[in-house]
Amino acid sequence: MPQLQSVWSLLALLALAFIWHSSASAAAGSTAALGNGDGPGRPLTTFVDLLSSNERFSEILHTVQRLRMVIPLNRVRNGTLLVPTNAALKKYRKEHGEGASRIAGATYRGLSDAQMWYHLIGDGVIEAQDFGRRTMVWESLSRPEANDGSAAASDNDEPDEPPKEHVFGVMLKTQLSTSGTVTANGVAVLAQNYSCAAGNVYLIDGLLEIPPPIQEVLHVLGDSFGQTTDSADEYSAIEKLLASAGWSDVLTMFSRSSEATGMHTLWAFSNHAFNSQFSYAERSYLLNGPLFVADDEDLRQAAVADVRAVASRFVSSEPVSIARMGAGTHSVLSLGKHSNLTLVVEETHGSFSGSIDGQPLGRLDVIARNGKFLRMRAASRALCTGF
């Protein structure tokens, strides 16, 4: 009989241990779920895990799957994903190719993988209070050239790889209105957010459109900024200046050159500012000089060098954001083999102002697909050293 009691005691202890282990596991699962909204009772590691955990993400998950983005999205760490609501995505599909059920290249029902990557911010995990700034510019993981579906969503896929040169992504802008509403490129960011080990997810009430190249932005601004002229070609002088320098690709993205696929900042002056600073003869040489001597290669190259010495003062070889840099004095790269530019940023009550090499800036942080546009109030020839 004592031996039988010992057996029963051993079985009771084993049962108790099993119950304790099960309770601990359930508690751990509950904690993970608590930190991830109404997600499942397990740790959510990747963005795909999180999208798979909740019915409200079903439309974006389906799109990610059809665009073959699951594997690269699973690699992403330390990011912030802006997810359109199911209703917003269904509406967009209806307006942009609901009937196209097959994938054409890297596009599914009007949505490209480049546009989907544009919803993923690579600047780290953005908390709700980070959106509380009046205006902020973020870098997405969508590259200026169209992604091909297999494109890695980060600079380094493996932690043991040597650092690669950073490839800038297309920028997007968040703003806080006076009423407290946060928007991303004009699309409302909803209050509820979710998190996983890879980062945070915010629902948004629409889809983000990739902005057009700098040249198209210039034409739009020419229409709306034409205060000194009735013409929509308010920035035609700087377009012609870059064309004369052989740098049209900075604006248009028409070729596969490094200028066309890279990110730049245009410190744009108006035609009025250009005309007020340069004589007729100087303007004619800058805008047409290389064409006038096209039949003499030595003279043409000399003319191009002269034009580039001037044009380089109005283009930076990287996307420069006033909001991202913040208050202070900054050195920014100019395009070509010329000296850097000095950017001074001031902040007053959450609003920014700035100047480039002493010239005040007007319109700030205008987003383009291939970089940024900042409007100069003047085009001082003091910027154009050596001319």
Side-chain angles (χ1 to χ4, degrees), residues 106-376:
T107 301
Y108 175 63
R109 291 187 177 177
L111 281 169
S112 69
D113 60 345
Q115 185 177 359
M116 291 308 305
W117 284 121
Y118 191 50
H119 291 73
L120 183 56
I121 298 173
D123 287 317
V125 180
I126 302 175
E127 304 294 345
Q129 59 267 26
D130 296 329
F131 286 132
R133 302 182 185 184
R134 182 64 60 187
T135 299
M136 190 58 194
V137 175
W138 311 95
E139 184 182 349
S140 79
L141 293 188
S142 181
R143 305 307 182 218
E145 68 277 12
N147 292 330
D148 62 2
S150 62
S154 62
D155 290 330
N156 290 300
D157 294 336
E158 300 297 335
D160 295 333
E161 288 184 356
K164 300 176 182 177
E165 182 180 354
H166 180 69
V167 179
F168 286 101
V170 183
M171 302 292 179
L172 61 95
K173 182 189 295 186
T174 58
Q175 294 177 290
L176 177 67
S177 69
T178 54
S179 63
T181 301
V182 175
T183 60
N185 285 13
V187 177
V189 179
L190 306 182
Q192 195 168 14
N193 67 292
Y194 305 81
S195 64
C196 62
N200 283 347
V201 170
Y202 293 86
L203 283 170
I204 58 175
D205 195 25
L207 271 78
L208 303 181
E209 298 276 4
I210 295 179
I214 294 175
Q215 186 179 58
E216 292 184 37
V217 172
L218 279 179
H219 293 169
V220 172
L221 292 177
D223 286 330
S224 59
F225 273 10
Q227 299 178 13
T228 59
T229 176
D230 294 329
S231 172
D233 298 328
E234 177 62 11
Y235 298 96
S236 60
I238 196 166
E239 287 188 69
K240 293 176 181 177
L241 180 65
L242 292 181
S244 182
W247 288 339
S248 289
D249 286 345
V250 168
L251 304 179
T252 62
M253 300 183 68
F254 283 159
S255 75
R256 301 301 299 172
S257 69
S258 58
E259 285 81 11
T261 58
M263 300 283 279
H264 300 87
T265 299
L266 184 66
W267 312 95
F269 50 78
S270 67
N271 293 351
H272 175 76
F274 184 63
N275 294 341
S276 67
Q277 290 295 314
F278 296 92
S279 68
Y280 175 82
E282 290 171 333
R283 297 196 305 270
S284 180
Y285 179 70
L286 287 172
L287 303 185
N288 302 291
L291 290 177
F292 290 160
V293 292
D295 57 344
D296 188 315
E297 183 60 19
D298 291 338
L299 290 177
R300 190 194 70 82
Q301 289 187 13
V304 169
D306 288 340
V307 175
R308 288 189 173 186
V310 174
S312 66
R313 311 303 295 172
F314 302 102
V315 183
S316 292
S317 54
E318 60 186 8
V320 179
S321 165
I322 298 293
R324 287 172 72 86
M325 286 194 158
T329 301
H330 312 276
S331 179
V332 298
L333 298 173
S334 64
L335 186 62
K337 298 177 181 179
H338 301 278
S339 59
N340 290 348
L341 309 173
T342 299
L343 173 66
V344 177
V345 180
E346 297 179 353
E347 182 177 3
T348 305
H349 305 300
S351 297
F352 293 99
S353 61
S355 63
I356 187 74
D357 277 2
Q359 299 302 307
L361 297 169
R363 184 97 171 204
L364 304 178
D365 283 345
V366 178
I367 305 294
R369 178 179 178 183
N370 55 337
K372 303 292 296 305
F373 165 95
L374 294 96
R375 182 177 188 260
M376 299 178 64

Side-chain angles (χ1 to χ4, degrees), residues 27-42 193 195:
S30 298
T31 302
L34 182 63
N36 293 284
D38 48 1
R42 60 183 175 80
N193 67 292
S195 64

